[in-house]
Amino acid sequence: MLDDRAKLLLKALVERYIAEGQPVGSRTLSKASGLDLSPATIRNVMSDLEEMGLIASPHTSAGRIPTTLGYRLFVDTMLTAQRESLLTPSLAPDQPQKVIANAAHLLSSLSQFVGVVMAPKRSSVFRHIEFLRLSEKRILVIIVSPEGDVQNRVIFTESDFAQNQLIEASNFLNSHYAGMAIEEVRTRVKQELLSLQSEIASLMQAAVQISSEAITQDRDEVVISGERNLLSVSDFSGDMGHLRRAFDLFEQKTQIMRLLDVSSQAAGVRIYIGSESQIVPMQELSVVTAPYEVDGHVVGTLGVIGPTRMPYERMIQIVDITSRLIGNALSKSK
């Protein structure tokens, strides 16, 4: 356990390092903390903090910098974010995809780091489905979503079907299941199609599966804005390896989507420092996230990605406010 003196010195060291980006020495820390302590006493406390893994000495510098563990203790026990201290921006109601893009841009412009927004989750519902025989055992599935989006998928079947069989199958699906969520359709198809010809039943089950994939694919599920902001961050600009790994992360999006998905299950703002999330494996990056709601239901997540040396108090404010703005804008867009 840290005593109050050690906590004050750690807090002062983290805040100073976040502000200036330079290792903090005992003389600087004495002034920053406001404590009337001798340099020798401060050095002893810093040595204890280093042994605990809260700070580290880079290279041969006499100064110290926070470790991931030090940042975590700072964020969990020494941070008090005030919503009102941030000028409230605006986010106008619009088409959902435009609201999401604007929110990502707002996050990046306010933070000067990278803004990420996961699109609202939609239930996989189809309005209309059609089958078209292309050749032997090769069928085109045409799916129309409630929003009017048309998706085409080619499936290969074990049996060959005549076009009149395909029309019969599509008529059955449209009359019995149109407007339902695919998840519900998949369950009912298994239960209710046992009385049909097995070949037709297997075709419909394949179509339901392909419909689910088609409706959920081809959407920009995560919008990322401001990647180039990292080029001006001193923590990255001097190390092309760090930059390359960060840009690979943004390009692939998969790990970011997983992290945002996990974050949507928690209430309020969450902070992942370095690689402690085990999903975004970059020691040099921190992620601040928050879920957003529409009509009282969590539908997505947003966040800011930047260096571990970020002003966490301000990032918490930005993410918290933007989550409420996007929720309001999407509710009014309906």
Side-chain angles (χ1 to χ4, degrees):
M1 281 293 290
L2 294 181
D3 58 26
D4 291 341
R5 184 177 62 181
K7 287 180 181 178
L8 277 172
L9 287 174
L10 178 61
K11 182 174 186 289
L13 185 146
V14 173
E15 290 175 340
R16 189 76 176 206
Y17 182 68
I18 287 174
E20 299 183 356
Q22 298 297 324
V24 183
S26 57
R27 191 180 299 276
T28 303
L29 193 56
S30 176
K31 295 177 182 177
S33 66
L35 296 175
D36 186 18
L37 298 173
S38 69
T41 301
I42 291 179
R43 282 196 295 271
N44 288 335
V45 175
M46 290 175 73
S47 179
D48 292 340
L49 293 174
E50 190 166 6
E51 284 186 15
M52 297 172 69
L54 298 172
I55 62 176
S57 178
H59 314 301
T60 57
S61 168
R64 302 293 189 274
I65 64 173
T67 62
T68 298
L69 191 61
Y71 278 124
R72 170 51 60 194
L73 186 63
F74 171 77
V75 165
D76 288 347
T77 65
M78 306 173 189
L79 211 55
T80 53
Q82 302 295 324
R83 279 182 181 176
E84 291 73 19
S85 62
L86 184 71
L87 289 175
T88 304
S90 61
L91 196 59
D94 209 319
Q95 294 298 318
Q97 201 59 35
K98 194 166 183 181
V99 171
I100 293 161
N102 289 342
H105 177 72
L106 182 63
L107 285 166
S108 67
S109 63
L110 287 174
S111 68
Q112 292 300 298
F113 298 133
V114 183
V116 293
V117 181
M118 175 180 273
K121 296 178 181 177
R122 297 189 302 184
S123 61
S124 303
V125 176
F126 76 90
R127 189 178 73 195
H128 184 79
I129 190 168
E130 270 184 48
F131 302 120
L132 181 64
R133 187 179 187 275
L134 297 177
S135 59
E136 186 178 350
K137 299 182 181 180
R138 187 165 164 263
I139 296 168
L140 176 67
V141 184
I142 304 169
I143 309 112
V144 183
S145 74
E147 294 81 18
D149 297 328
V150 179
Q151 302 283 348
N152 299 317
R153 291 291 186 276
V154 175
I155 60 174
F156 296 88
T157 58
E158 294 182 3
S159 304
D160 190 27
F161 296 99
Q163 185 59 43
N164 64 323
Q165 291 178 297
L166 300 179
I167 292 172
E168 179 187 348
S170 61
N171 286 343
F172 184 90
L173 284 175
N174 289 325
S175 61
H176 287 80
Y177 304 115
M180 291 185 184
I182 287 293
E183 293 77 10
E184 182 183 356
V185 175
R186 186 183 293 117
T187 302
R188 292 185 58 173
V189 161
K190 288 181 180 178
Q191 296 171 347
E192 298 175 6
L193 294 188
L194 297 176
S195 60
L196 297 179
Q197 299 176 40
S198 60
E199 293 88 353
I200 292 292
S202 64
L203 168 67
M204 291 191 192
Q205 289 184 26
V208 168
Q209 179 62 34
I210 209 75
S211 300
S212 176
E213 295 171 359
I215 290 172
T216 55
Q217 286 175 358
D218 296 333
R219 286 206 325 268
D220 201 359
E221 294 191 37
V222 175
V223 178
I224 300 176
S225 178
E227 300 98 309
R228 292 180 62 86
N229 286 339
L230 293 187
L231 296 174
S232 59
V233 175
S234 59
D235 306 58
F236 289 94
S237 58
D239 192 322
M240 289 306 297
H242 291 173
L243 271 178
R244 192 176 296 111
R245 288 203 304 278
F247 275 84
D248 285 345
L249 182 73
F250 301 139
E251 185 176 349
Q252 295 172 8
K253 295 187 179 181
T254 307
Q255 290 165 309
I256 295 174
M257 284 175 57
R258 285 176 56 205
L259 183 63
L260 293 177
D261 194 44
V262 168
S263 301
S264 68
Q265 301 168 22
V269 176
R270 294 193 68 177
I271 300 172
Y272 302 91
I273 300 170
S275 57
E276 66 181 11
S277 70
Q278 298 182 341
I279 298 175
V280 175
M282 278 198 67
Q283 194 66 32
E284 305 81 17
L285 287 178
S286 284
V287 188
V288 182
T289 68
Y292 61 89
E293 300 180 355
V294 175
D295 297 333
H297 300 286
V298 172
V299 297
T301 320
L302 53 79
V304 166
I305 302 176
T308 52
R309 189 180 66 85
M310 64 163 64
Y312 289 96
E313 183 172 351
R314 179 172 171 81
M315 296 306 110
I316 291 170
Q317 296 172 46
I318 290 169
V319 166
D320 179 50
I321 287 176
T322 308
S323 70
R324 289 183 283 119
L325 290 174
I326 191 173
N328 291 338
L330 289 172
S331 296
K332 293 175 183 176
S333 300
K334 296 174 65 177

